[in-house]
Amino acid sequence: MKLIAAQIRPVPGDCEANIAKHMAAIRQAANLGANLVLFPELSLTGYEPRLADALAMDVSDGRLDEFQQLSDRYGMLIAVGAPTQGREGIEISMISFQPGQPRTCYSKQILHADELPFFAAGSRKLVLNHADVILAPAICYESLQPSHAEEAAQSGAQVYLASVAKSERGTTLAKAHYPMIAEKHSMTVVMANCVGAADDYVAAGCSAIWNNRGEMLCSADTVQEALVAYDTRTGETAVFNLL
């Protein structure tokens, strides 16, 4: 399976511009033979908690139909980030598109204290099965909680999909934590981070992939939009500038 973390610079609050940016990244990833493309936390809107109420979308939103079309065309699992309207409030969600299947939605279950004024926690566990590989979604703060990775491993996950919006401090914590859980649970870890403005900080990129022995295989830098790629069959790795 060829895994790609898409490191993008979202335009704060501009869904249409961000969808176009996603489309370009997906097409480039398809040309590279990707089976999966993972985008950062809240990638469709940018990580902007104060705007989430106005920007929240339904999973069935017609603007997302293009993602399903590309998933069907390329046989690819595409996972994007968006605020969605949940039962108890706005949730931080990962919406996934798989060829020939209904789209699915996983919402962040463990929120950071700073997010509590703006978001409600999700409650539904989810694993994805694509190309006979089991993948577990994880969204930023919760992906640094050992219990979350433990549950993913118990669900049979072989790949841990960490969709994040992390500052420099956050990426430092991630680089220490992800190799440990990768080795402990024998899971490949894919981290897709953004770059540029995010709420009241600057997202620090460094999107990366660790193999199931906890070895970092490849990483983007802190400022450039990029595609970080790992082929689990051949062991080939590469980082491509986003065109």
Side-chain angles (χ1 to χ4, degrees):
M1 171 177 273
K2 192 161 193 177
L3 309 169
I4 287 186
Q7 178 167 297
I8 64 169
R9 182 179 290 104
V11 181
D14 193 334
C15 290
E16 283 67 30
N18 291 323
I19 287 173
K21 188 181 288 282
H22 281 61
M23 294 292 127
I26 292 165
R27 291 188 177 97
Q28 184 177 346
N31 289 335
L32 297 171
N35 302 104
L36 172 143
V37 182
L38 174 68
F39 286 90
E41 181 180 24
L42 295 176
S43 60
L44 293 181
T45 61
Y47 186 83
E48 301 293 335
R50 291 165 181 80
L51 301 179
D53 188 55
L55 297 173
M57 61 183 66
D58 191 84
V59 177
S60 62
D61 193 309
R63 291 175 294 176
L64 304 180
D65 291 349
E66 284 184 275
F67 291 105
Q68 187 62 55
Q69 292 164 10
L70 292 185
S71 175
D72 293 340
R73 182 182 307 165
Y74 298 124
M76 183 190 297
L77 192 163
I78 301 167
V80 306
T84 62
Q85 182 65 58
R87 196 178 309 172
E88 304 297 327
I90 308 301
E91 298 177 349
I92 299 174
S93 299
M94 182 190 298
I95 304 173
S96 298
F97 304 84
Q98 294 178 262
Q101 297 186 35
R103 63 192 69 167
T104 58
C105 182
Y106 168 79
S107 296
K108 191 175 188 175
Q109 297 178 299
I110 307 173
L111 298 174
H112 189 276
D114 292 346
E115 295 171 328
L116 295 176
F118 308 101
F119 298 106
S123 58
R124 178 172 171 252
K125 294 178 174 60
L126 178 71
V127 292
L128 303 167
N129 191 322
H130 182 65
D132 296 322
V133 175
I134 299 174
L135 311 99
I139 302 177
C140 209
Y141 179 69
E142 69 183 6
S143 71
L144 297 180
Q145 311 311 306
S147 61
H148 192 273
E150 185 79 38
E151 287 188 359
Q154 290 172 356
S155 298
Q158 299 155 280
V159 179
Y160 195 59
L161 301 177
S163 171
V164 309
K166 291 190 179 298
S167 64
E168 183 178 1
R169 179 178 180 274
T171 59
T172 299
L173 293 172
K175 288 177 183 177
H177 179 72
Y178 293 150
M180 290 192 300
I181 64 170
E183 182 178 20
K184 179 178 180 180
H185 300 298
S186 193
M187 291 189 299
T188 299
V189 177
V190 182
M191 180 185 79
N193 195 17
C194 48
V195 292
D199 193 24
D200 58 356
Y201 64 94
V202 176
C206 295
S207 297
I209 300 177
W210 292 261
N211 66 16
N212 59 10
R213 297 186 297 278
E215 300 164 334
M216 180 188 278
L217 301 173
C218 50
S219 175
D221 68 15
T222 61
V223 295
Q224 297 294 323
E225 294 185 297
L227 300 178
V228 181
Y230 169 50
D231 192 319
T232 61
R233 295 159 296 190
T234 66
E236 180 183 4
T237 63
V239 179
F240 303 91
N241 289 335
L242 200 56
L243 301 176

